[in-house]
Amino acid sequence: LALAFRFRSDVTARGRLLKILSATVMGGAIVGMHYTAMTAARFAPGHSMKESGLAIDATGDLGAAVAGSTILAIVLGLIGAVIDRNIQSRTAFTAQLAERTALLTKSEQQYRLIVDTALDAVITMSSAGLITDWNPQAEKLFGWTRTEAIGRRMSETIIPPRYRVAHERGLTRFFETGEGPVLNTRIEISAIRRDGAEFPVELAISPAQVGSEWTFSAFIRDLTDRNVAAEAVRAGEQRYRELFEDIPVGLYRSTPEGQLVDVNPTMTAMLGYPDNESLINTPAIDLYVDPADRDRWTAEMKRNGVVRNFDIRMRRRDGTLIWARETTHAKRIADGTIVLFEGAIEDISERIAAEQRLRASEAQLRQALKMEAVGQLAGGVAHDFNNLLTVILSYSSMLLERIDRDDPNRDDVSEIATAADRAAGLTRQLLAFGRKQVMNPRVLNINTVISDLENILRRLAGEDVDFRMVLDPGVAAIRADPGQLEQVLMNLVVNARDAMPSGGRLTISTFNAGSPEAPAGILPESCQGKFVVLSVADTGSGMTAEVQQRLFDPFFTTKEPGRGTGLGLSTVYGIVKQSGGEVVAESELGRGSTFRVCFPRLEIAVQETALVMATDAPRGTESILIVEDEDILRALGERVLTRYGYTVLSASNGADAVAIAADNGLTLHAVVTDVVMPGMTGRELAERLSQIRPGLRILFMSGYMDDEVIRRGVQRGEAAFLQKPFTPAELARKVREVLDGASVV
């Protein structure tokens, strides 16, 4: 037993050998005890045996001794076993206690390490409200050292005064009910530093019961930097939102499918919607006037990933159209998928209108320059042509006077005169277009001219045309040449008739621009204000935009060859321009045309004057000087005036005319001079002659008028003028008018 106890914990080979030896000894002892017991049991007291030197006297006392020894050995063995068991248990407990102590120490160290290295302040508080732990982050955050903080009341150390009552009340409530409004949750609140400064923190408190005592762990995070960053983000978002809301350009966001998700007030107002929500609920495709614009937009976005300066027509909520310029970017995620479109839209309707007005002005300028150039050409051609026509008309007229009516040659001469007269009409149209003819304007009522011409206009329009006149009785007076105004009317009516070969409706109307009777929104800017408007509208075939651009070009016509000269509308243009007015055309293919002629109106009453018609060319006996650089015309003038009884002198230029007039021995009553002459013009000659012979009467003649001084003199009735070509009777009549100082028409 001693050996077994001694080496029970020895796990070496020697220990194992000794334990085997002790077990063998114990086993032998036990066997010996058994044999001894059995031997004792075989002898009864008083039994006699043969003595032997090896015999054992078995007596009753010996049996008792053996039994007692056995019992004692067993008891001692049990006691030893119990003691051994106790010793082993104590040894195991001691080892386990040591192990657990080591683990606890390690755990404490780990806890301390975690707490001390935590980024947040970690503070523990007892149920009495006293601080029991305070980590280094708490020292930095609140300014108290661990030694100073432990044992202080939590509420007086880190809680601002205004929260302390609520803190104590919450602690009491927890002990009474086991509930607390701020336990096991994160809240944002203010804390106080040692110097009394408050700052925002995130606080989480976790309660734990140790035995009968409660302890509270507070985890505190400084939110100052986060709040500063959050405030910066919020301020940035606010600035962005203010920019988004206030920028004077429409901004939007939409899904790739075209559904708006955000718009700014500018875009909402631009498209005429009452609020952003109603616009957002409108599919983007519905805002496009032409679906093809959306297709072009989509194609460009796919091709470039961005759409820049994309001009489109958009439809406002009330149906009106605007021009807009759009720039849009696609927002994509990492894999390239488009998740959003962000765009800016600017209303450029005014800009487009201004550009259109500028283009129209440029076109008008080009047209005016072209007309001026063609007008100069037309005037030059008309001048030379009119000289020839004057000769042809005059000699054919004189031939007709001498040829008997039954003479077969009379018809031939008459055809010559007729052709010359038609040619003279063409030159008058050229001069009207080039604004080179001399006009005799007077104050008149345009309604009177139209009414007097009504029958002729109806015949020109034709029986299959519904002819209507809508004349404003309150129309103002204008200053115009009645004959030229009649020509304007007839040319416009003929143009309308040709546009309605199968019949239609032709309406002539007059009104004062800007009056309540005037149709709204139909006049161009050039006709706004104090104008009298003559409108000629038809329901004919209309014109294309290309035709309208060349409408007033001379010799431009859409009629087949032989049906028009192309001078009708160009003549209208020239007459109206020379009268200080404007003429504009409005037409659409298949829907007719409307020509509006605008004359400056006068604020005076019309005084009608009777016209005196001359039935025969008057004669005279006065002395007349003819000044003409064309020999054939000068000779013609001499012959005609001589036939009518006048004494005729002639000069081929201004210098010769001055020399003749300077001869005081000559009697001179009037001078008939060409306006356009080399060296000295007709006006310059008239000025020289007025110095030599004051009061000498002057008659100007010309194929066209490019002298503005003479033109104004004629228009004011201060100068006499004879338009080439003329007939002998017209020359004689005009000379007589100049000599008599009376107006003969």
Side-chain angles (χ1 to χ4, degrees):
L1 286 174
L3 288 172
F5 279 119
R6 182 175 180 179
F7 299 104
R8 63 185 183 278
S9 299
D10 192 349
V11 295
T12 65
R14 177 177 175 274
R16 286 195 295 271
L17 181 60
L18 290 173
K19 283 187 282 187
I20 294 172
L21 180 59
S22 65
T24 303
V25 172
M26 184 178 290
I30 293 172
V31 171
M33 285 192 300
H34 278 287
Y35 278 101
T36 301
M38 288 188 295
T39 301
R42 291 170 60 187
F43 300 100
H47 181 71
S48 63
M49 293 180 61
K50 184 178 180 182
E51 288 189 5
S52 173
L54 299 175
I56 301 175
D57 293 332
T59 65
D61 295 334
L62 178 60
V66 172
S69 298
T70 301
I71 293 172
L72 178 61
I74 293 173
V75 170
L76 290 175
L78 291 174
I79 293 172
V82 172
I83 293 172
D84 181 64
R85 180 66 177 174
N86 188 33
I87 292 173
Q88 288 186 9
S89 297
R90 184 174 296 177
T91 301
F93 174 75
T94 302
Q96 186 179 12
L97 181 60
E99 183 180 357
R100 290 185 177 181
T101 301
L103 291 173
L104 184 60
T105 302
K106 183 178 180 181
S107 177
E108 175 66 22
Q109 291 174 346
Q110 290 176 341
Y111 164 77
R112 190 81 266 170
L113 181 63
I114 293 172
V115 170
D116 289 347
T117 58
L119 297 178
D120 295 340
V122 180
I123 304 172
T124 59
M125 181 188 74
S126 67
S127 58
L130 302 179
I131 296 173
T132 58
D133 199 2
W134 186 270
N135 75 338
Q137 189 63 26
E139 292 180 340
K140 295 178 182 179
L141 195 58
F142 294 101
W144 299 90
T145 65
R146 187 171 187 273
T147 303
E148 292 171 331
I150 291 178
R152 289 180 59 87
R153 291 196 66 80
M154 182 84 143
S155 60
E156 297 175 356
T157 306
I158 67 171
I159 299 177
R162 63 182 181 277
Y163 298 136
R164 290 173 185 172
V165 174
H167 167 74
E168 298 293 346
R169 188 182 301 120
L171 194 59
T172 302
R173 178 183 175 187
F174 174 75
F175 292 139
E176 292 176 352
T177 64
E179 297 179 354
V182 299
L183 299 179
N184 297 315
T185 186
R186 295 182 182 274
I187 63 171
E188 291 187 11
I189 195 170
S190 294
I192 188 170
R193 291 190 175 93
R194 184 171 186 170
D195 59 6
E198 289 191 20
F199 63 101
V201 297
E202 181 184 76
L203 172 65
I205 301 177
S206 300
Q209 189 173 18
V210 181
S212 60
E213 290 293 325
W214 284 94
T215 183
F216 302 89
S217 298
F219 303 89
I220 304 172
R221 179 175 298 173
D222 187 357
L223 298 182
T224 302
D225 293 341
R226 193 203 72 174
N227 285 2
V228 170
E231 178 61 24
V233 172
R234 189 200 64 78
E237 290 177 348
Q238 179 65 22
R239 288 193 297 271
Y240 165 77
R241 197 69 207 176
E242 289 175 354
L243 178 65
F244 185 82
E245 297 286 341
D246 299 338
I247 192 170
V249 174
L251 300 177
Y252 76 90
R253 293 189 184 96
S254 73
T255 65
E257 295 74 29
Q259 178 60 53
L260 294 169
V261 295
D262 195 9
V263 296
N264 71 339
T266 302
M267 184 168 175
T268 300
M270 183 193 307
L271 296 176
Y273 283 79
D275 51 58
N276 292 0
E277 190 66 26
S278 58
L279 177 55
I280 289 174
N281 291 332
T282 302
I285 189 65
D286 292 349
L287 302 177
Y288 288 84
V289 174
D290 187 354
D293 288 341
R294 180 68 179 182
D295 296 337
R296 290 191 300 110
W297 185 97
T298 302
E300 185 170 342
M301 178 62 72
K302 289 181 178 179
R303 184 170 57 253
N304 302 323
V306 64
V307 174
R308 289 190 177 93
N309 298 327
F310 189 82
D311 291 350
I312 52 173
R313 288 179 302 161
M314 301 189 74
R315 182 179 289 106
R316 288 169 52 88
R317 186 170 185 264
D318 60 4
T320 59
L321 306 184
I322 63 170
W323 275 100
R325 178 163 294 167
E326 180 178 357
T327 296
T328 304
H329 298 266
K331 293 296 182 181
R332 304 173 186 270
I333 57 178
D335 64 359
T337 302
I338 297 176
V339 295
L340 202 66
F341 289 129
E342 291 184 343
I345 296 180
E346 181 184 4
D347 186 350
I348 59 170
S349 300
E350 286 296 326
R351 189 184 311 170
I352 293 295
E355 291 174 355
Q356 291 175 343
R357 289 194 295 270
L358 178 60
R359 286 194 294 269
S361 299
E362 292 175 347
Q364 289 176 353
L365 177 60
R366 288 193 297 270
Q367 179 76 1
L369 293 174
K370 181 172 61 177
M371 294 298 186
E372 184 67 25
V374 176
Q376 291 289 346
L377 176 63
V381 171
H383 174 267
D384 295 335
F385 198 41
N386 278 337
N387 285 341
L388 297 175
L389 288 175
T390 300
V391 174
I392 296 172
L393 282 172
S394 296
Y395 280 108
S396 61
S397 176
M398 288 187 291
L399 275 175
L400 287 173
E401 291 177 1
R402 295 197 302 270
I403 298 177
D404 295 336
R405 293 187 177 278
D406 55 355
D407 191 325
N409 295 318
R410 184 179 180 85
D411 291 339
D412 296 338
V413 176
S414 179
E415 287 296 325
I416 294 173
T418 301
D421 188 60
R422 290 180 60 190
L426 288 176
T427 60
R428 281 192 296 271
Q429 288 182 322
L430 284 173
L431 290 173
F433 161 73
R435 287 172 273 171
K436 301 296 184 180
Q437 86 279 32
V438 177
M439 302 179 69
N440 293 302
R442 66 169 184 264
V443 178
L444 53 83
N445 186 310
I446 193 171
N447 289 352
T448 302
V449 176
I450 297 172
S451 299
D452 291 345
L453 206 62
E454 180 179 357
N455 291 335
I456 296 176
L457 296 178
R458 287 185 180 276
R459 286 196 297 272
L460 285 174
E463 295 181 355
D464 56 349
V465 173
D466 180 10
F467 184 88
R468 302 180 183 183
M469 294 199 309
V470 183
L471 308 181
D472 179 7
V475 74
I478 64 171
R479 182 184 296 277
D481 185 318
Q484 299 291 346
L485 181 56
E486 290 177 355
Q487 188 173 358
V488 167
L489 276 166
M490 288 189 289
N491 285 358
L492 290 178
V493 169
V494 169
N495 185 75
R497 179 202 63 195
D498 292 342
M500 299 183 291
S502 301
R505 183 174 64 253
L506 189 153
T507 304
I508 298 177
S509 58
T510 60
F511 55 87
N512 294 320
S515 67
E517 294 79 12
I522 63 170
L523 296 178
E525 293 184 4
S526 57
C527 286
Q528 299 292 341
K530 296 183 177 182
F531 285 89
V532 172
V533 182
L534 165 65
S535 174
V536 178
D538 64 69
T539 59
S541 57
M543 297 175 285
T544 64
E546 292 76 12
V547 170
Q548 292 183 58
Q549 290 178 354
R550 302 188 58 191
L551 195 59
F552 300 112
D553 288 2
F555 307 111
F556 172 75
T557 179
T558 58
K559 302 181 180 71
E560 55 268 22
R563 289 202 56 199
T565 62
L567 288 173
L569 292 179
S570 60
T571 300
V572 170
Y573 179 88
I575 292 173
V576 173
K577 282 292 187 180
Q578 195 171 6
S579 300
E582 294 285 345
V583 56
V584 293
E586 178 182 335
S587 181
E588 185 175 346
L589 197 62
R591 303 189 65 176
S593 304
T594 300
F595 287 83
R596 297 185 179 92
V597 182
C598 307
F599 293 101
R601 71 184 185 188
L602 306 175
E603 302 301 333
I604 58 177
V606 178
Q607 295 180 350
E608 300 292 345
T609 57
L611 302 181
V612 179
M613 299 298 298
T615 58
D616 193 12
R619 301 175 63 83
T621 59
E622 289 88 349
S623 179
I624 308 297
L625 172 61
I626 294 180
V627 186
E628 171 61 63
D629 60 308
E630 290 284 346
D631 295 339
I632 190 171
L633 280 177
R634 188 172 63 255
L636 174 65
E638 293 176 4
R639 182 172 178 178
V640 168
L641 292 179
T642 300
R643 284 186 59 199
Y644 282 95
Y646 296 101
T647 301
V648 181
L649 303 173
S650 65
S652 61
N653 54 63
D656 292 347
V658 171
I660 294 173
D663 186 354
N664 294 326
L666 291 176
T667 301
L668 199 58
H669 297 93
V671 175
V672 179
T673 179
D674 192 10
V675 174
V676 182
M677 294 185 298
M680 184 183 300
T681 67
R683 178 172 60 83
E684 293 171 341
L685 173 61
E687 292 173 353
R688 294 285 300 277
L689 294 179
S690 66
Q691 297 173 358
I692 299 173
R693 292 178 179 260
L696 182 65
R697 297 178 181 274
I698 306 294
L699 171 62
F700 297 101
M701 60 179 181
S702 181
Y704 78 104
M705 179 61 71
D706 63 351
D707 192 310
E708 190 60 30
V709 175
I710 296 178
R711 184 194 304 276
R712 288 198 299 268
V714 172
Q715 292 176 349
R716 290 194 297 262
E718 299 171 355
F721 180 79
L722 178 61
Q723 175 75 54
K724 296 178 182 178
F726 51 78
T727 63
E730 290 173 338
L731 174 60
R733 191 159 50 244
K734 197 66 178 178
V735 168
R736 188 72 262 165
E737 175 187 332
V738 170
L739 291 171
D740 296 342
S743 178
V744 179
V745 180

